[in-house]
Amino acid sequence: MKLNLRKYFFNTEKATLAEHGSFKIEAFRYASGVEALSVENKKCSFIFTPFKGQQIWHFCVEGEEISMQTEVKEPQDTMVYLQNYGGFLYHCGIISFGAPDSEHPHHGEIPNAVYDSAYLICDEDEGGKYIALGGELNHNTAFVRKYRFSPEIKIYEDSSVFKINVTIENLRSYPLEWSYLCHINFRPFEGAQLLASTKYDNDHIKLYRSEGSPELIEYFDKLENDFTVMNKVDRSSQVYDPEICFGVKYIPDENNRGYTMQCTDKGACYVSHPADILTNGVRWISRTNNEDAMGMVLPATGEHLGYANAKEKGQLKLLEADGKISFTIEAGYIGADEANEVKAKIEGIM
């Protein structure tokens, strides 16, 4: 079953929109005016904003919040990135992403864009019952660019991992410059171990130093001496105030996929991404008195330094006239047994 969503489905009071197996999907509208779907299955719950950026908010697994903590507690009806920055997942790009410049706002034009259409699919395949949530965003700047951005998240009723399918179509008969970053924001778990299919040396890790407190500068020096000190999540010995960004070059498996986990005894926050298309991993960590965020990997086409930097370094992608590209990211939470399997896979890659 496919249900094309309409904005008039959403009111201030929650109303059941669909039930499918263990899934319960309720529609409501925030006080800000943003339309939202509240979704529950056997393992997890989350909020999805179908017309506002197709964002994921308040991702919880067995009642525990997995997504980052910020002072923005619910979606806001704004195009200003940081005024609506409290979600678990944002699509960023397409003109560029990262630091704002003359070519684009903070993280590009799509994170808070209003979608032209959105839908809900309830279906079943060899993996079991699932739902898919997606839509289309059509961008048209006369004489410059015209594209369609079509994301979709798919999740099974007994899973807490999202399959994030992204399709970009160039609707002009000229090549399209494009960039993309998937901003995935977990919360840090004290004592957890960060694992990734990479080496912690200068060929694979880049540290982006910035101005800050003496404690932050001292921690920068410690990292430059040994990047592995970041791999145990430990507020007492680490300084991420206000934030630190790293660039990570992944070593992929035979399917060109990179793997990242934040592991505890119970399970792991998990991301798998196509390292041949999203060739740069951005690791972003912020731990202040008001924010607590573990962006252990933001899969991206380039660095987070804006259009001019990406252009200079050849990090902008080109999509041929009337061309189309699709790729899939997996992100979510896995149990201890599956985490051990992914750990063995990472060890095999290395």
Side-chain angles (χ1 to χ4, degrees), residues 3 104 159 315:
L3 176 62
H104 69 99
S159 176
Q315 294 174 354

Side-chain angles (χ1 to χ4, degrees), residues 48-305:
F48 182 74
T49 58
F51 293 104
K52 186 64 172 176
Q54 299 237 321
Q55 302 160 0
I56 299 175
W57 285 68
H58 295 302
F59 175 42
C60 298
V61 177
E62 297 179 347
E64 183 174 19
E65 183 89 36
I66 301 298
S67 41
M68 71 173 177
Q69 172 188 320
T70 79
E71 293 301 311
V72 182
K73 303 303 182 186
E74 60 184 48
Q76 301 298 307
D77 188 13
T78 177
M79 291 296 290
V80 180
Y81 188 81
L82 292 181
Q83 291 179 5
N84 192 37
Y85 191 51
F88 172 70
L89 185 141
Y90 296 81
H91 301 286
C92 300
I94 290 291
I95 298 171
S96 193
F97 59 81
D101 58 29
S102 61
E103 296 293 332
H104 69 99
H106 196 169
H107 276 311
E109 73 275 17
I110 68 171
N112 289 305
V114 178
Y115 274 62
D116 300 282
S117 64
Y119 61 82
L120 162 68
I121 292 173
C122 298
D123 208 339
E124 186 173 1
D125 61 18
E126 65 278 0
K129 289 184 172 65
Y130 70 86
I131 65 166
L133 296 160
E136 289 186 356
L137 171 64
N138 291 284
H139 176 102
N140 189 10
T141 301
F143 297 98
V144 180
R145 65 182 64 83
K146 184 179 182 181
Y147 66 78
R148 180 180 297 118
F149 180 73
S150 307
E152 180 184 89
I153 63 169
K154 178 180 179 180
I155 186 168
Y156 288 90
E157 67 173 342
D158 59 352
S159 176
S160 48
V161 173
F162 301 99
K163 292 186 180 295
I164 305 149
N165 302 307
V166 173
T167 298
I168 305 167
E169 298 172 79
N170 181 9
L171 303 180
R172 280 178 61 83
S173 56
Y174 301 91
L176 170 73
E177 282 185 343
W178 67 277
S179 297
Y180 177 79
L181 175 142
C182 192
H183 218 302
I184 307 165
N185 304 315
F186 294 96
R187 56 165 280 203
F189 287 84
E190 278 296 301
Q193 188 76 18
L194 297 179
L195 299 176
S197 56
T198 189
K199 295 180 180 180
Y200 290 87
D201 57 31
N202 289 321
D203 292 330
H204 294 81
I205 305 293
K206 182 175 182 178
L207 173 64
Y208 296 92
R209 294 187 70 122
S210 60
E211 298 298 322
S213 66
E215 292 80 11
L216 179 63
I217 302 305
E218 182 180 351
Y219 186 53
F220 279 137
D221 294 339
K222 185 185 296 185
L223 285 165
E224 287 187 330
N225 184 59
D226 180 7
F227 288 128
T228 65
V229 301
M230 70 168 118
N231 284 341
K232 183 178 180 182
V233 181
D234 180 16
R235 185 187 284 273
S236 66
S237 65
Q238 297 169 337
V239 182
Y240 295 105
D241 189 350
E243 63 181 4
I244 295 180
C245 286
F246 306 85
V248 183
K249 181 179 179 181
Y250 276 76
I251 301 171
D253 68 2
E254 67 279 5
N255 297 313
N256 285 318
R257 298 196 68 82
Y259 297 89
T260 312
M261 293 195 298
Q262 180 185 206
C263 297
T264 70
D265 293 338
K266 296 180 180 179
C269 302
Y270 163 79
V271 175
S272 167
H273 72 277
D276 55 337
I277 298 173
L278 305 178
T279 53
N280 285 62
V282 178
R283 177 170 289 185
W284 168 74
I285 305 173
S286 175
R287 309 201 70 182
T288 74
N289 292 333
N290 301 99
E291 293 84 25
D292 211 13
M294 172 58 70
M296 59 184 192
V297 60
L298 319 179
T301 55
E303 295 172 275
H304 60 291
L305 303 175

Side-chain angles (χ1 to χ4, degrees), residues 306-320:
Y307 178 86
N309 182 272
K311 184 78 169 177
E312 178 184 352
K313 294 180 178 177
Q315 294 174 354
L316 295 175
K317 300 282 189 177
L318 274 181
L319 189 56
E320 68 272 14

